[in-house]
Amino acid sequence: MMNKITPYLNLHEPEYTDTKQVRIFVGSWNVNGQAAFATPVNIWLNCDPFPPDVYAIGFQELDLSKEAFLFNDSIREHEWFNICRDSLHPKAKYVKVKLVRLVGMMLIVFVRKELEPFVTNVAAETVGTGIMRKMGNKGGVAIRLDLHNTSICFINSHLAAHVEEFHRRNQDYHEICSRIVFNQFQPPRYIKDHDQIYWLGDLNYRIDDLSTDEIKELVDQNAFDALLVYDQLKKQMNAKRVFEDFVEPPIKHWPTYKYNPGTNEWDTSEKNRPPAWCDRILYRGGPTQPILYRSHPKLLLSDHKPVSCLFSATVKVVDEVRFRKVYEKVMKTLDRLENESLPQVSLDKLEFVFNDVTMTEPSVDTMTVSNIGQVPVYFEFVKKLDNPTYCKSWLQISPFTALVLPGEKMKVELRVFVGAADESENITDKTTTLDDILVLHLDRGKDFFITVTVHMHKPNATPAIVDDDEPLIQL
């Protein structure tokens, strides 16, 4: 019952909520498979005068062993968790909310002990985009939670390597967005379905069109703005190919990659990798204000430097007395409206045909739901008989549920993204056509049936590129 009332309550949210500022520390470090030992991570996690309220700490290449890759078993997880737990800010007490790991990617969320009662609906998911587009040497891990009345999602990712592979990095990002689904909720929630999103990790975007010496010269001059013109991530975001609506705080620190381990010297190996800001932190939603975005060059363990950003975020806090009054008012209103009339909507289309769709390239179309009746309409896409979800895995609908007031219209986006071959959906390299039937249900009203047909385009095959940065496993 509450799920159906929630959209109506959300319309009155300012009447029963206040706002509160919380400090969120987000940190990321590619540790290159190194053991924690006595690494002084306190200079990374405890570098601010005031204690954060929330920590989100992400690692990449936590463990490069074959055991971690084949069996997802790692002693490094316990080593790094313990040293992080013991290095949090000493002016506050913290509890672990959740830890999630996939091979070398690990994400830990801590909150101050006094906030623990207000953390609910915690969930974690993982997705591999590495070898065969499934293995966990690359991909993402995510933890979501509700803090008071604000939903927050943290994503830690390690995207494809090499300068020339920015298109594959873009593809990794889209696959993480489409395949990380928190199915324990009804309806299921995607990354985008959160009030605040924090994305961290070794995104592996490099610097184009400059020689190694030219990059180093600009870095020595602290000419970061001039250098960031050539940054692949900035260029892809400006072209709206990835991280749409995300923001990265201004970069005022040196590139985080690649160093000779144990030093602050640039790579002097035979490969002579050019410096790059591989390690990044972005955010979306809010209100959220970055306070300080920085790297931590005193940590010498890896060929990457850790990064962190301290945020001041606004969360909504429910006043229970006011909430009860609003709830009773909403219930009375809904009862009256239910007795007066039934919901009515019109759809501008009931059939969607996507032509010439290419694997790993998203295609989008929209329809308009118009409320032509006298009462608010709550609609949602519902599961069909014997189907676990309301749509196929290659299709996303946004929003999949919404409230439309009388006389108003709502745009619904249908997004087709066909990734790698998927046996569960009978998708192979030879698939030419995909189809689905959607059921749009009106609360206290009728159902609409919408057909979706996808005609696939077959791109020319390209030879596979071996990632020489990833460990080879001999079986």
Side-chain angles (χ1 to χ4, degrees), residues 64-83:
L64 300 178
S65 69
K66 62 180 182 296
E67 290 81 10
F69 189 80
L70 294 176
F71 308 113
N72 203 27
D73 185 27
S74 172
I75 61 171
R76 295 279 190 265
E77 173 182 322
H78 308 290
E79 291 177 2
W80 282 103
F81 169 76
N82 289 336
I83 199 169

Side-chain angles (χ1 to χ4, degrees), residues 16 103 125 169 199 231 446-447 451:
Y16 61 83
V103 188
E125 291 293 338
R169 288 187 272 282
W199 198 302
D231 176 75
K446 62 186 292 188
D447 291 342
T451 62

Side-chain angles (χ1 to χ4, degrees), residues 112-120:
R112 291 178 70 152
K113 188 170 182 57
E114 56 266 35
L115 283 177
E116 185 180 15
F118 306 106
V119 176
T120 58

Side-chain angles (χ1 to χ4, degrees), residues 143-168:
I143 295 174
R144 65 90 53 217
L145 56 91
D146 291 338
L147 179 57
H148 288 289
N149 212 42
T150 296
S151 59
I152 303 175
C153 187
F154 300 101
I155 307 97
N156 171 30
S157 66
H158 191 188
L159 307 186
H162 300 306
V163 174
E164 67 279 4
E165 290 288 351
F166 63 89
H167 288 301
R168 187 174 171 190

Side-chain angles (χ1 to χ4, degrees), residues 34 59 211:
Q34 301 300 309
F59 293 94
S211 68

Side-chain angles (χ1 to χ4, degrees), residues 300-364:
L300 308 176
L301 183 70
S302 171
D303 55 352
H304 289 251
K305 300 300 180 185
V307 294
S308 69
C309 188
L310 184 66
F311 294 94
S312 176
T314 302
V315 298
K316 296 167 287 189
V317 181
V318 174
D319 182 299
E320 292 297 336
V321 174
R322 287 153 53 199
F323 174 79
R324 178 53 54 185
K325 291 180 180 179
V326 171
Y327 179 84
E328 292 174 355
K329 181 177 69 173
V330 168
M331 288 300 297
K332 290 179 181 178
T333 301
L334 293 179
D335 288 342
R336 177 176 55 81
L337 292 175
E338 185 173 8
N339 293 331
E340 288 179 354
S341 61
L342 294 175
Q344 299 181 57
V345 303
S346 67
L347 309 181
D348 65 342
K349 61 171 68 174
L350 292 172
E351 181 179 358
F352 289 84
V353 178
F354 294 84
N355 290 312
D356 206 29
V357 172
T358 303
M359 276 196 176
T360 74
E361 291 291 336
S363 297
V364 176

Side-chain angles (χ1 to χ4, degrees), residues 89-137:
H89 206 290
K91 294 182 181 179
K93 293 184 178 180
Y94 295 90
V95 294
K96 182 187 79 173
V97 173
K98 191 76 174 177
L99 181 152
V100 61
R101 183 178 63 82
L102 177 64
V103 188
M105 295 172 288
M106 183 168 79
L107 177 62
I108 320 168
V109 174
F110 297 93
V111 299
R112 291 178 70 152
K113 188 170 182 57
E114 56 266 35
L115 283 177
E116 185 180 15
F118 306 106
V119 176
T120 58
N121 298 320
V122 177
E125 291 293 338
T126 67
V127 60
T129 63
I131 299 171
M132 298 184 294
R133 309 304 298 164
K134 291 184 178 180
M135 302 301 288
N137 56 315

